[in-house]
Amino acid sequence: MKLAKSYFADQRTDDLKELGQGLPRSDVPGHVTGKTTYFADRTFPGMLYLKMVRSPHHHARIRSVDLSDAEKHPGVHRILTHKDIPHNLYTILILIQVGPEDEHVLAEDKVRWKGEAVVAVLADSERAANEAAAKVKVDYEVLPDVLDIDSALAPGAPIVNEHHGQNYYMYDSGQSRKVRYGDVEKGFAEADHILEQTYYSSPIEQAPMETTGCIVTPDGNDRFTCYTNTQAMFFTLDNTSIILQMPGHKLHMVGGTVGGGFGGKVDVTVEPIAILAAKLTGRPVSFIYGRYEEMQISSPRAAEKIVLKDGVMKDGRIVARQVWGYTDAGAYSRHSPYGAQKGAAHYPGPYTIPNVWVDTWCVYTNRTPSSAMRGFGVTIADFALEVQMDKLARLIGMDPLEFRFINAYRDGDMKAHRQPTTGAALIECMQEASRVANWPIAEKYLEMSSYKEV
Amino acid sequence: MAKVPVQFTLNGEEKADFVDGGATLLKVLREKVGDTSAKAGCQQGTCGSCSVIIDGELRLSCLTLAETCGGAEIHTTGGLATDGVLHPLQRAFMDEFAAQCGFCTPGMIMAAKVLLDRNPNPSHEDVVEALSGNVCRCTGYEPIIRAVLTAARSNSQNAA
């Protein structure tokens, strides 16, 4: 690794101790010797295995559930339904007052996505749990579904989630998160060119090598130890406490090395039901997703639809940007209201635009609930923004990199969501990128600075 | 369920147990023998994180029935360091930043060891081919490939 020390030279002392040094990871000796402990590297005598019976339909009413054959299956200890769960209706971000609670730990009257958990089977082997789960009979009345953003927002669309009442999240600002800065209509009126483009993305599975799961042991004093690979220990602790109506001091959550997460282990999907199972059976309980569940059940990055409309001058200045951003949350909120909100602040990108108008929506569909993944809310936005930047540059016949210099944000610029820019480094990064990529740019751009007039 | 007696050596030590008929070697190593270095990533033979060496061959322990391993010599990454001295592959994986979450690492090292045991001077392409059954989702593959090539070089230097 090499530090390009010519940048910001007058702003920096060169007593850097760590930057520019190659340092060994503190955990790597454990990794290369196979000694690192992951949650599933534990076995307890008498452990029960939890297998979830899941909805085969995108949207259906549950008429009845018949457990009689499954309960008789050899090795089965208990089958949990929604009636066993003290506070079955939850939503993760209720911890920071982002409601309403909109999701059942185990389905009650309806299922709203293909894969929704209905009942949990506990048996003394994985095989017995799988076999018994196949004997659970659920009678469904299949309902009309909506599987994409446009269908969900169409007039007369079936309502995905009655806890919201409409197929989008209602923010305190209304049906969308809004950013209003300058006068976007005036900007479009002045612009030499206007370009409106629509961008779509599909859900993306994080696909960590280690699947989501936990192992719970009852300690005999109505306290429980939960070994988990959650990426969000306190979301897990606090939501489990709410769902099980148990004070936090009875829940000993043990984290540790996560075998890859990438955001896919931020939701609270295995711990509450596994702890309840351990409580009701008095036995250690293992609930670990198989690879199929990791791919199909754990929440992916959301599908998005992004409409970008830009007004640009022949000299390269973007004078107006209007954005309609839609995040497909799937059937439940999880972290998507937050992700969509992040996008609202992000849409001008690292560019200073005088007139900005952004609406971002969090939309409900009968798809797998989406949630966190590496920069969710802004990563797909950046894809759309940067493709749009290339198209705009081409529209006015300008080099795409020089076009970005003209619009790059600099220290002191006000961003559309009213945060003043500090510590900008886009110009310097692009200068170095042009050098490394051997992409020639005009001398005046090489002389620009993020923080001083040159 | 009927139990089946099975006896094998694991990293040079004799092991014997009664296992469930149909139990995988992966489950027996992890839950009965207590070597958890092989990992359950997919349990369907596609990710390579359960890789072990059986009688010199790279094997997926999630698809190997324990009862078929009678008399076998089994090696795992958990037993690769001898008397606390790391194998050159382990050293190289550390030096080349070839592990991030670490979950795929034991399987990667097993696949690389079988390669180097047979071909002490592999090409970049040889390494890619040898690791093609092992999935990594964090570090990307280039640092892992570099680590295997580095280990091969340090082996040949030691031999010279």
Side-chain angles (χ1 to χ4, degrees):
Chain A
M1 195 175 9
K2 186 174 100 18
L3 274 182
K5 292 190 173 179
S6 58
Y7 300 102
F8 303 104
D10 58 343
Q11 288 209 327
R12 200 191 61 228
T13 57
D14 271 338
D15 58 351
L16 302 175
K17 300 280 192 297
E18 307 292 335
L19 289 178
Q21 308 291 324
L23 295 172
R25 294 177 61 96
S26 59
D27 56 0
V28 77
H31 292 351
V32 301
T33 53
K35 302 286 189 249
T36 299
T37 302
Y38 300 84
F39 87 94
D41 294 339
R42 297 179 175 89
T43 307
F44 297 96
M47 193 152 80
L48 297 178
Y49 295 84
L50 191 154
K51 175 69 183 176
M52 205 60 93
V53 176
R54 299 183 178 281
S55 164
H57 303 294
H58 297 295
H59 195 194
R61 192 174 310 287
I62 297 175
R63 290 203 194 96
S64 64
V65 178
D66 178 359
L67 304 176
S68 52
D69 284 353
E71 281 172 337
K72 280 182 236 148
H73 191 81
V76 171
H77 278 257
R78 176 133 189 180
I79 301 181
L80 304 179
T81 73
H82 67 88
K83 293 179 193 140
D84 295 302
I85 300 175
H87 187 84
N88 193 34
L89 187 65
Y90 81 109
T91 193
I92 296 165
L93 293 181
I94 200 75
L95 303 176
I96 52 170
Q97 289 81 48
V98 179
E101 292 172 315
D102 69 345
E103 179 166 5
H104 291 127
V105 177
L106 292 176
E108 294 185 5
D109 52 334
K110 275 178 76 177
V111 287
R112 298 177 180 86
W113 59 284
K114 186 177 171 179
E116 182 157 353
V118 182
V119 302
V121 176
L122 289 150
D124 57 17
S125 72
E126 287 171 274
R127 179 172 170 173
N130 283 329
E131 288 169 347
K135 290 184 173 175
V136 172
K137 295 192 201 99
V138 184
D139 183 21
Y140 294 102
E141 175 195 348
V142 177
L143 300 171
D145 53 43
V146 284
L147 297 175
D148 62 74
I149 287 162
D150 290 336
S151 312
L153 295 178
I159 295 298
V160 171
N161 189 320
E162 296 78 2
H163 301 289
H164 295 283
Q166 66 284 318
N167 287 343
Y168 51 84
Y169 185 78
M170 189 61 84
Y171 289 97
D172 50 18
S173 55
Q175 59 201 14
S176 58
R177 265 289 175 240
K178 301 173 198 293
V179 173
R180 302 289 184 267
Y181 184 66
D183 182 344
V184 79
E185 289 308 326
K186 180 167 156 285
F188 285 130
E190 290 167 6
D192 291 326
H193 298 280
I194 293 174
L195 179 69
E196 181 178 320
Q197 299 278 290
T198 302
Y199 300 86
Y200 291 93
S201 70
S202 295
I204 301 171
E205 165 57 35
Q206 299 87 353
M209 295 307 297
E210 176 202 51
T211 61
T212 301
C214 69
I215 294 175
V216 181
T217 60
D219 80 350
N221 300 314
D222 205 27
R223 291 179 88 245
F224 300 87
T225 302
C226 178
Y227 302 95
T228 165
N229 61 4
T230 179
Q231 288 180 263
M233 186 58 85
F234 288 90
F235 282 2
T236 298
L237 171 64
D238 294 349
N239 276 288
T240 303
S241 179
I242 292 170
I243 290 165
L244 302 184
Q245 299 284 292
M246 287 170 72
H249 70 264
K250 293 190 177 296
L251 301 167
H252 180 199
M253 313 301 282
V254 181
T257 304
V258 176
F262 322 115
K265 293 169 179 165
V266 174
D267 291 356
V268 184
T269 55
V270 291
E271 297 88 352
I273 192 76
I275 293 171
L276 179 66
K279 180 181 164 81
L280 294 179
T281 61
R283 301 265 294 261
V285 171
S286 166
F287 181 18
I288 305 177
Y289 282 2
R291 179 52 56 182
Y292 176 87
E293 285 175 305
E294 190 65 36
M295 300 300 284
Q296 296 293 330
I297 303 303
S298 81
S299 47
R301 183 193 291 288
E304 292 188 43
K305 174 187 176 182
I306 298 163
V307 183
L308 289 178
K309 180 181 176 186
D310 285 322
V312 66
M313 306 303 287
K314 286 181 203 154
D315 64 11
R317 286 175 297 128
I318 303 172
V319 291
R321 171 166 287 173
Q322 192 161 19
V323 183
W324 295 264
Y326 304 91
T327 296
D328 184 345
Y332 298 107
S333 290
R334 305 273 176 102
H335 293 85
S336 286
Y338 164 68
Q341 168 168 317
K342 258 202 287 179
H346 187 76
Y347 271 107
Y351 307 109
T352 294
I353 302 174
N355 303 295
V356 174
W357 185 107
V358 182
D359 267 12
T360 58
W361 299 59
C362 171
V363 181
Y364 298 102
T365 67
N366 294 109
R367 295 183 76 166
T368 306
S370 61
S371 197
M373 181 177 178
R374 295 192 152 185
F376 68 121
V378 303
T379 314
I380 303 300
D382 277 332
F383 154 74
L385 288 177
E386 296 305 331
V387 173
Q388 181 86 351
M389 292 298 280
D390 283 352
K391 288 181 177 176
L392 288 167
R394 206 173 302 139
L395 184 66
I396 57 170
M398 188 170 274
D399 176 276
L401 191 53
E402 294 185 345
F403 177 62
R404 286 169 169 85
F405 275 95
I406 291 170
N407 292 288
Y409 69 170
R410 305 172 68 223
D411 282 0
D413 289 352
M414 183 59 75
K415 296 185 200 170
H417 64 296
R418 310 304 197 281
Q419 292 287 317
T421 303
T422 56
L426 176 62
I427 285 168
E428 288 73 13
C429 285
M430 292 195 297
Q431 288 166 342
E432 184 65 9
S434 88
R435 194 186 65 76
V436 174
N438 199 20
W439 183 288
I441 52 174
E443 189 61 30
K444 62 178 172 179
Y445 301 117
L446 290 171
E447 288 167 3
M448 281 177 72
S449 164
S450 286
Y451 63 101
K452 60 187 177 189
E453 295 303 328
V454 182
Chain B
M1 204 181 292
K3 300 278 185 185
V4 183
V6 62
Q7 191 168 355
F8 51 76
T9 68
L10 176 66
N11 300 316
E13 283 181 31
E14 292 279 349
K15 302 285 176 189
D17 212 327
F18 291 94
V19 304
D20 290 331
T24 65
L25 178 63
L26 176 65
K27 192 172 172 69
V28 168
L29 287 178
R30 291 176 54 81
E31 297 180 14
K32 301 206 78 174
V33 180
D35 180 343
T36 59
S37 61
K39 301 298 177 199
C42 69
Q43 303 196 71
Q44 54 194 30
T46 59
C47 80
S49 57
C50 68
S51 300
V52 299
I53 301 171
I54 304 177
D55 295 333
E57 299 284 343
L58 186 66
R59 294 290 184 219
L60 296 166
S61 63
C62 78
L63 296 186
T64 304
L65 298 186
E67 61 206 82
T68 67
C69 295
E73 273 186 37
I74 301 172
H75 288 274
T76 64
T77 293
L80 193 55
T82 45
D83 300 329
V85 178
L86 295 181
H87 186 276
L89 273 166
Q90 294 172 310
R91 189 81 248 164
F93 268 64
M94 291 176 64
D95 292 345
E96 298 291 347
F97 211 90
Q100 200 175 109
C101 85
F103 202 80
C104 75
T105 309
M108 288 281 181
I109 289 177
M110 287 290 96
K113 181 167 189 306
V114 169
L115 170 70
L116 296 190
D117 286 349
R118 291 177 187 177
N119 178 1
N121 294 300
S123 66
H124 188 276
E125 289 67 33
D126 293 335
V127 177
V128 170
E129 175 64 28
L131 300 181
S132 62
N134 294 69
V135 179
C136 165
R137 286 284 294 162
C138 310
T139 63
Y141 295 96
E142 285 303 322
I144 296 171
I145 295 164
R146 267 204 303 279
V148 178
L149 292 169
T150 300
R153 274 197 303 276
S154 77
N155 272 342
S156 61
Q157 279 162 8
N158 290 346

PDB file of all heavy atoms in Angstrom, chain B residues 65-88:
ATOM      1  N   LEU B  65     -20.216 -40.155   3.992  1.00  0.00           N
ATOM      2  CA  LEU B  65     -20.808 -40.811   5.165  1.00  0.00           C
ATOM      3  C   LEU B  65     -19.688 -41.272   6.097  1.00  0.00           C
ATOM      4  O   LEU B  65     -18.709 -41.899   5.652  1.00  0.00           O
ATOM      5  CB  LEU B  65     -21.664 -42.003   4.751  1.00  0.00           C
ATOM      6  CG  LEU B  65     -22.875 -41.670   3.868  1.00  0.00           C
ATOM      7  CD1 LEU B  65     -23.726 -42.910   3.643  1.00  0.00           C
ATOM      8  CD2 LEU B  65     -23.711 -40.563   4.497  1.00  0.00           C
ATOM      9  N   ALA B  66     -19.853 -40.984   7.368  1.00  0.00           N
ATOM     10  CA  ALA B  66     -18.815 -41.343   8.341  1.00  0.00           C
ATOM     11  C   ALA B  66     -18.547 -42.843   8.328  1.00  0.00           C
ATOM     12  O   ALA B  66     -17.407 -43.288   8.470  1.00  0.00           O
ATOM     13  CB  ALA B  66     -19.245 -40.885   9.741  1.00  0.00           C
ATOM     14  N   GLU B  67     -19.606 -43.631   8.125  1.00  0.00           N
ATOM     15  CA  GLU B  67     -19.443 -45.087   8.198  1.00  0.00           C
ATOM     16  C   GLU B  67     -18.590 -45.642   7.058  1.00  0.00           C
ATOM     17  O   GLU B  67     -18.167 -46.793   7.106  1.00  0.00           O
ATOM     18  CB  GLU B  67     -20.814 -45.769   8.198  1.00  0.00           C
ATOM     19  CG  GLU B  67     -21.628 -45.489   6.961  1.00  0.00           C
ATOM     20  CD  GLU B  67     -23.132 -45.605   7.219  1.00  0.00           C
ATOM     21  OE1 GLU B  67     -23.741 -44.647   7.728  1.00  0.00           O
ATOM     22  OE2 GLU B  67     -23.674 -46.667   6.915  1.00  0.00           O
ATOM     23  N   THR B  68     -18.330 -44.797   6.023  1.00  0.00           N
ATOM     24  CA  THR B  68     -17.471 -45.252   4.924  1.00  0.00           C
ATOM     25  C   THR B  68     -15.999 -44.929   5.179  1.00  0.00           C
ATOM     26  O   THR B  68     -15.156 -45.188   4.325  1.00  0.00           O
ATOM     27  CB  THR B  68     -17.879 -44.609   3.585  1.00  0.00           C
ATOM     28  OG1 THR B  68     -17.615 -43.191   3.651  1.00  0.00           O
ATOM     29  CG2 THR B  68     -19.344 -44.846   3.271  1.00  0.00           C
ATOM     30  N   CYS B  69     -15.701 -44.348   6.344  1.00  0.00           N
ATOM     31  CA  CYS B  69     -14.342 -43.865   6.599  1.00  0.00           C
ATOM     32  C   CYS B  69     -13.532 -44.815   7.486  1.00  0.00           C
ATOM     33  O   CYS B  69     -12.493 -44.413   8.033  1.00  0.00           O
ATOM     34  CB  CYS B  69     -14.379 -42.478   7.229  1.00  0.00           C
ATOM     35  SG  CYS B  69     -15.062 -41.236   6.110  1.00  0.00           S
ATOM     36  N   GLY B  70     -14.020 -46.042   7.656  1.00  0.00           N
ATOM     37  CA  GLY B  70     -13.287 -46.991   8.488  1.00  0.00           C
ATOM     38  C   GLY B  70     -11.874 -47.198   7.963  1.00  0.00           C
ATOM     39  O   GLY B  70     -11.682 -47.449   6.778  1.00  0.00           O
ATOM     40  N   GLY B  71     -10.873 -47.040   8.837  1.00  0.00           N
ATOM     41  CA  GLY B  71      -9.485 -47.262   8.459  1.00  0.00           C
ATOM     42  C   GLY B  71      -8.852 -46.124   7.689  1.00  0.00           C
ATOM     43  O   GLY B  71      -7.682 -46.204   7.297  1.00  0.00           O
ATOM     44  N   ALA B  72      -9.610 -45.053   7.468  1.00  0.00           N
ATOM     45  CA  ALA B  72      -9.076 -43.958   6.646  1.00  0.00           C
ATOM     46  C   ALA B  72      -8.107 -43.087   7.442  1.00  0.00           C
ATOM     47  O   ALA B  72      -8.158 -43.031   8.670  1.00  0.00           O
ATOM     48  CB  ALA B  72     -10.224 -43.102   6.120  1.00  0.00           C
ATOM     49  N   GLU B  73      -7.220 -42.415   6.690  1.00  0.00           N
ATOM     50  CA  GLU B  73      -6.367 -41.373   7.276  1.00  0.00           C
ATOM     51  C   GLU B  73      -6.984 -40.039   6.910  1.00  0.00           C
ATOM     52  O   GLU B  73      -7.008 -39.665   5.731  1.00  0.00           O
ATOM     53  CB  GLU B  73      -4.955 -41.434   6.691  1.00  0.00           C
ATOM     54  CG  GLU B  73      -4.021 -42.375   7.388  1.00  0.00           C
ATOM     55  CD  GLU B  73      -2.603 -42.253   6.810  1.00  0.00           C
ATOM     56  OE1 GLU B  73      -2.194 -41.113   6.468  1.00  0.00           O
ATOM     57  OE2 GLU B  73      -1.957 -43.301   6.675  1.00  0.00           O
ATOM     58  N   ILE B  74      -7.461 -39.332   7.914  1.00  0.00           N
ATOM     59  CA  ILE B  74      -8.156 -38.063   7.653  1.00  0.00           C
ATOM     60  C   ILE B  74      -7.312 -36.912   8.193  1.00  0.00           C
ATOM     61  O   ILE B  74      -6.752 -36.999   9.300  1.00  0.00           O
ATOM     62  CB  ILE B  74      -9.559 -38.067   8.324  1.00  0.00           C
ATOM     63  CG1 ILE B  74     -10.384 -39.232   7.770  1.00  0.00           C
ATOM     64  CG2 ILE B  74     -10.268 -36.735   8.108  1.00  0.00           C
ATOM     65  CD1 ILE B  74     -11.695 -39.454   8.487  1.00  0.00           C
ATOM     66  N   HIS B  75      -7.206 -35.873   7.392  1.00  0.00           N
ATOM     67  CA  HIS B  75      -6.496 -34.665   7.837  1.00  0.00           C
ATOM     68  C   HIS B  75      -7.403 -33.453   7.688  1.00  0.00           C
ATOM     69  O   HIS B  75      -8.169 -33.351   6.740  1.00  0.00           O
ATOM     70  CB  HIS B  75      -5.211 -34.459   7.022  1.00  0.00           C
ATOM     71  CG  HIS B  75      -4.150 -35.455   7.359  1.00  0.00           C
ATOM     72  ND1 HIS B  75      -3.255 -35.283   8.394  1.00  0.00           N
ATOM     73  CD2 HIS B  75      -3.879 -36.668   6.824  1.00  0.00           C
ATOM     74  CE1 HIS B  75      -2.462 -36.326   8.473  1.00  0.00           C
ATOM     75  NE2 HIS B  75      -2.809 -37.194   7.524  1.00  0.00           N
ATOM     76  N   THR B  76      -7.310 -32.554   8.678  1.00  0.00           N
ATOM     77  CA  THR B  76      -8.093 -31.319   8.661  1.00  0.00           C
ATOM     78  C   THR B  76      -7.159 -30.141   8.918  1.00  0.00           C
ATOM     79  O   THR B  76      -6.032 -30.311   9.417  1.00  0.00           O
ATOM     80  CB  THR B  76      -9.169 -31.314   9.762  1.00  0.00           C
ATOM     81  OG1 THR B  76      -8.500 -31.334  11.040  1.00  0.00           O
ATOM     82  CG2 THR B  76     -10.096 -32.517   9.663  1.00  0.00           C
ATOM     83  N   THR B  77      -7.656 -28.956   8.628  1.00  0.00           N
ATOM     84  CA  THR B  77      -6.863 -27.759   8.924  1.00  0.00           C
ATOM     85  C   THR B  77      -6.629 -27.632  10.430  1.00  0.00           C
ATOM     86  O   THR B  77      -5.610 -27.092  10.861  1.00  0.00           O
ATOM     87  CB  THR B  77      -7.575 -26.517   8.355  1.00  0.00           C
ATOM     88  OG1 THR B  77      -7.552 -26.611   6.930  1.00  0.00           O
ATOM     89  CG2 THR B  77      -6.892 -25.224   8.774  1.00  0.00           C
ATOM     90  N   GLY B  78      -7.558 -28.151  11.228  1.00  0.00           N
ATOM     91  CA  GLY B  78      -7.388 -28.104  12.686  1.00  0.00           C
ATOM     92  C   GLY B  78      -6.139 -28.815  13.160  1.00  0.00           C
ATOM     93  O   GLY B  78      -5.641 -28.539  14.267  1.00  0.00           O
ATOM     94  N   GLY B  79      -5.602 -29.748  12.346  1.00  0.00           N
ATOM     95  CA  GLY B  79      -4.415 -30.493  12.753  1.00  0.00           C
ATOM     96  C   GLY B  79      -3.195 -30.187  11.910  1.00  0.00           C
ATOM     97  O   GLY B  79      -2.197 -30.908  11.961  1.00  0.00           O
ATOM     98  N   LEU B  80      -3.254 -29.102  11.152  1.00  0.00           N
ATOM     99  CA  LEU B  80      -2.190 -28.839  10.178  1.00  0.00           C
ATOM    100  C   LEU B  80      -0.919 -28.299  10.835  1.00  0.00           C
ATOM    101  O   LEU B  80       0.197 -28.614  10.416  1.00  0.00           O
ATOM    102  CB  LEU B  80      -2.705 -27.861   9.107  1.00  0.00           C
ATOM    103  CG  LEU B  80      -1.874 -27.703   7.842  1.00  0.00           C
ATOM    104  CD1 LEU B  80      -1.623 -29.050   7.178  1.00  0.00           C
ATOM    105  CD2 LEU B  80      -2.602 -26.775   6.864  1.00  0.00           C
ATOM    106  N   ALA B  81      -1.072 -27.481  11.846  1.00  0.00           N
ATOM    107  CA  ALA B  81       0.116 -26.968  12.548  1.00  0.00           C
ATOM    108  C   ALA B  81       0.688 -28.082  13.419  1.00  0.00           C
ATOM    109  O   ALA B  81      -0.051 -28.807  14.064  1.00  0.00           O
ATOM    110  CB  ALA B  81      -0.268 -25.761  13.401  1.00  0.00           C
ATOM    111  N   THR B  82       2.004 -28.250  13.389  1.00  0.00           N
ATOM    112  CA  THR B  82       2.607 -29.302  14.199  1.00  0.00           C
ATOM    113  C   THR B  82       3.400 -28.685  15.342  1.00  0.00           C
ATOM    114  O   THR B  82       4.265 -27.834  15.107  1.00  0.00           O
ATOM    115  CB  THR B  82       3.548 -30.185  13.343  1.00  0.00           C
ATOM    116  OG1 THR B  82       4.351 -29.335  12.532  1.00  0.00           O
ATOM    117  CG2 THR B  82       2.754 -31.117  12.459  1.00  0.00           C
ATOM    118  N   ASP B  83       3.069 -29.080  16.555  1.00  0.00           N
ATOM    119  CA  ASP B  83       3.716 -28.544  17.765  1.00  0.00           C
ATOM    120  C   ASP B  83       3.710 -27.009  17.762  1.00  0.00           C
ATOM    121  O   ASP B  83       4.703 -26.371  18.118  1.00  0.00           O
ATOM    122  CB  ASP B  83       5.155 -29.062  17.882  1.00  0.00           C
ATOM    123  CG  ASP B  83       5.200 -30.584  17.956  1.00  0.00           C
ATOM    124  OD1 ASP B  83       4.226 -31.154  18.503  1.00  0.00           O
ATOM    125  OD2 ASP B  83       6.161 -31.187  17.448  1.00  0.00           O
ATOM    126  N   GLY B  84       2.584 -26.445  17.325  1.00  0.00           N
ATOM    127  CA  GLY B  84       2.458 -24.992  17.348  1.00  0.00           C
ATOM    128  C   GLY B  84       3.156 -24.281  16.196  1.00  0.00           C
ATOM    129  O   GLY B  84       3.090 -23.061  16.105  1.00  0.00           O
ATOM    130  N   VAL B  85       3.832 -25.036  15.320  1.00  0.00           N
ATOM    131  CA  VAL B  85       4.497 -24.409  14.175  1.00  0.00           C
ATOM    132  C   VAL B  85       3.540 -24.446  12.992  1.00  0.00           C
ATOM    133  O   VAL B  85       3.059 -25.512  12.597  1.00  0.00           O
ATOM    134  CB  VAL B  85       5.814 -25.145  13.820  1.00  0.00           C
ATOM    135  CG1 VAL B  85       6.463 -24.500  12.592  1.00  0.00           C
ATOM    136  CG2 VAL B  85       6.747 -25.137  15.014  1.00  0.00           C
ATOM    137  N   LEU B  86       3.250 -23.265  12.440  1.00  0.00           N
ATOM    138  CA  LEU B  86       2.294 -23.200  11.347  1.00  0.00           C
ATOM    139  C   LEU B  86       2.866 -23.814  10.071  1.00  0.00           C
ATOM    140  O   LEU B  86       4.062 -23.710   9.801  1.00  0.00           O
ATOM    141  CB  LEU B  86       1.910 -21.739  11.070  1.00  0.00           C
ATOM    142  CG  LEU B  86       1.169 -20.998  12.179  1.00  0.00           C
ATOM    143  CD1 LEU B  86       0.840 -19.579  11.739  1.00  0.00           C
ATOM    144  CD2 LEU B  86      -0.104 -21.730  12.596  1.00  0.00           C
ATOM    145  N   HIS B  87       1.994 -24.433   9.310  1.00  0.00           N
ATOM    146  CA  HIS B  87       2.315 -24.910   7.963  1.00  0.00           C
ATOM    147  C   HIS B  87       2.566 -23.683   7.077  1.00  0.00           C
ATOM    148  O   HIS B  87       1.966 -22.629   7.304  1.00  0.00           O
ATOM    149  CB  HIS B  87       1.129 -25.730   7.456  1.00  0.00           C
ATOM    150  CG  HIS B  87       1.344 -26.408   6.145  1.00  0.00           C
ATOM    151  ND1 HIS B  87       1.154 -25.761   4.947  1.00  0.00           N
ATOM    152  CD2 HIS B  87       1.722 -27.672   5.837  1.00  0.00           C
ATOM    153  CE1 HIS B  87       1.406 -26.600   3.957  1.00  0.00           C
ATOM    154  NE2 HIS B  87       1.747 -27.777   4.468  1.00  0.00           N
ATOM    155  N   PRO B  88       3.424 -23.803   6.066  1.00  0.00           N
ATOM    156  CA  PRO B  88       3.668 -22.646   5.175  1.00  0.00           C
ATOM    157  C   PRO B  88       2.390 -22.049   4.583  1.00  0.00           C
ATOM    158  O   PRO B  88       2.310 -20.838   4.382  1.00  0.00           O
ATOM    159  CB  PRO B  88       4.560 -23.229   4.075  1.00  0.00           C
ATOM    160  CG  PRO B  88       5.265 -24.362   4.735  1.00  0.00           C
ATOM    161  CD  PRO B  88       4.311 -24.935   5.748  1.00  0.00           C
TER     162      PRO B  88
END
